[in-house]
Amino acid sequence: MKVIETIDEMRRLRRQLAEPVGLVPTMGYLHEGHLALVKQARAENPSVVVSIFVNPTQFGPREDFNKYPRNPQRDLALLEKEKTDIVFMPSAAEMYPERSNSWVEVSKLTERLEGASRPGHLRGVTTVCAKLFNIVQPDKAYFGQKDAQQAIVIKKMVADLNMDLEIIAVPTVREPDGLAMSSRNTYLNPEQRRAAAVLYRALSLAQKLYVGGERNAEHLRQEMTALIQKQPLADIDYISVANAETLDELDTVSPPALVSLAVRIGKTRLIDNVVVG
Ligand code: AMP
């Protein structure tokens, strides 16, 4: 496994890689969710590149960029075990020199959900992914269904801008109580960690109601809201039942529908989703 810190070196090594090349972009502090992406990339490509970059442009001014958890030594050991070929770990100065002045922005889809709650976040994500795609030139890039809107927006960017790669969404990996694995779960104290299971309980309730025949989207939102409000440590940011392609909110649930939510547990903002239908 080679660990690369500069764009020039990454480009030089890329020319020697057997194709197809699979890329897994991450912000590090790896868990089994990230490793599911790496495993799938490993199974589908002779060459696997994983990037670790805590991307400053996707954090708002009052968000957790400075305290975002980091543990590169542990990350590298985990990636070595998964037989990663190259880890690309650039500095912020390498990725964003002072003269950098360009953005990639997907309109409409980014006005909703995470885009509405975190202005500029998705523009930071699409910009850094476009840069990583240009640097690594992967044939396939792997994203988690956990960040459903991110995967949808990146697919749209790739289609709209004729980028020559395939985007693959990988199912969410969960803890035994259903909580989606996330680097941010480390912020939770034991009491908050127990409370955080309410996100998946609410999503499971929506799924159960849907399977039982419920098609009124507002009813699903109300039932999820009522369940989460019973948990005193939880503070709802949004609850959405939307078309899984356009992200338009639905009145009547018709498949595939994306049921998603963002909930604060203490100061920690968690997101999760399921697709119904
Ligand atoms: P992050 O390091 O949080 O930017 O995540 C890097 C990639 O891993 C993104 O594509 C995420 O959607 C994905 N990911 C994060 N958590 C999970 C999870 N629990 N299951 C599957 N994929 C995940």
Side-chain angles (χ1 to χ4, degrees), residues 14 77 108 182 185 192 247 271:
R14 169 64 181 88
K108 284 213 168 76
S182 164
N185 293 350
Q192 292 171 333
L247 301 181
I271 61 171

Side-chain angles (χ1 to χ4, degrees), residues 14-179:
R14 169 64 181 88
R15 286 184 213 112
Q16 302 164 10
L17 292 178
E19 297 183 332
V21 173
L23 170 68
V24 181
T26 82
M27 298 205 297
Y29 211 74
L30 303 179
H31 50 66
E32 285 298 325
H34 297 112
L35 297 182
L37 273 58
V38 178
K39 285 183 210 302
Q40 189 165 333
R42 182 70 284 168
E44 295 178 359
N45 305 276
S47 306
V48 174
V49 180
V50 177
S51 61
I52 299 179
F53 180 59
V54 184
N55 173 34
T57 65
Q58 70 187 70
F59 289 79
R62 279 182 295 280
E63 293 185 354
D64 56 346
F65 174 68
N66 284 320
K67 68 166 186 155
Y68 194 83
R70 293 161 168 90
N71 190 344
Q73 285 324 109
R74 182 173 172 275
D75 289 347
L76 292 177
L78 290 168
L79 292 175
E80 178 105 59
K81 248 193 242 163
E82 300 299 338
K83 305 197 175 354
T84 304
D85 296 297
I86 296 180
V87 182
F88 179 50
M89 272 175 91
S91 67
E94 178 76 3
M95 286 296 274
Y96 296 106
E98 268 170 38
R99 62 190 181 279
S100 168
N101 214 0
S102 304
W103 296 95
V104 180
E105 189 155 16
V106 173
S107 59
K108 284 213 168 76
L109 282 175
T110 56
E111 288 165 9
R112 301 166 187 280
L113 307 176
E114 290 302 286
S117 288
R118 303 180 66 190
H121 165 67
L122 287 162
R123 181 180 81 154
V125 171
T126 42
T127 300
V128 81
C129 286
K131 288 165 70 72
L132 288 168
F133 296 166
N134 283 331
I135 294 163
V136 177
Q137 297 183 27
D139 298 284
K140 299 177 194 173
Y142 296 80
F143 291 86
Q145 180 62 30
K146 151 88 168 36
D147 300 283
Q149 185 180 20
Q150 170 173 288
I152 291 166
V153 165
I154 287 168
K155 277 185 188 165
K156 185 77 173 124
M157 170 184 81
V158 164
D160 286 352
L161 299 181
N162 311 98
M163 294 179 174
D164 192 13
L165 78 159
E166 187 185 347
I167 300 301
I168 294 166
V170 177
T172 303
V173 178
R174 300 180 178 284
E175 301 284 358
D177 66 355
L179 177 66

Side-chain angles (χ1 to χ4, degrees), residues 196-212:
V198 77
L199 276 82
Y200 188 62
R201 281 214 306 281
L203 294 170
S204 302
L205 174 63
Q207 203 153 31
K208 193 180 100 190
L209 292 169
Y210 176 82
V211 169

Side-chain angles (χ1 to χ4, degrees), residues 113 145 148 202-207 210 220-221 224 238-244 250 253 256-261 272-276:
L113 307 176
Q145 180 62 30
L203 294 170
S204 302
L205 174 63
Q207 203 153 31
Y210 176 82
L220 293 184
R221 292 184 202 102
M224 287 192 285
Y238 64 76
I239 290 188
S240 159
V241 181
N243 178 291
L250 296 170
V253 188
L258 179 70
V259 181
S260 65
L261 39 69
D272 200 354
N273 68 85
V274 294
V275 175
V276 299

Side-chain angles (χ1 to χ4, degrees), residues 3-10 87-91 94:
V3 181
I4 305 299
E5 293 182 355
T6 69
I7 294 166
D8 282 350
E9 180 71 354
M10 184 63 236
V87 182
F88 179 50
M89 272 175 91
S91 67
E94 178 76 3

Side-chain angles (χ1 to χ4, degrees), residues 181-194:
M181 289 193 180
S182 164
S183 308
R184 289 191 169 98
N185 293 350
T186 186
Y187 299 147
L188 302 170
N189 68 30
E191 191 192 1
Q192 292 171 333
R193 169 63 191 80
R194 282 191 295 278

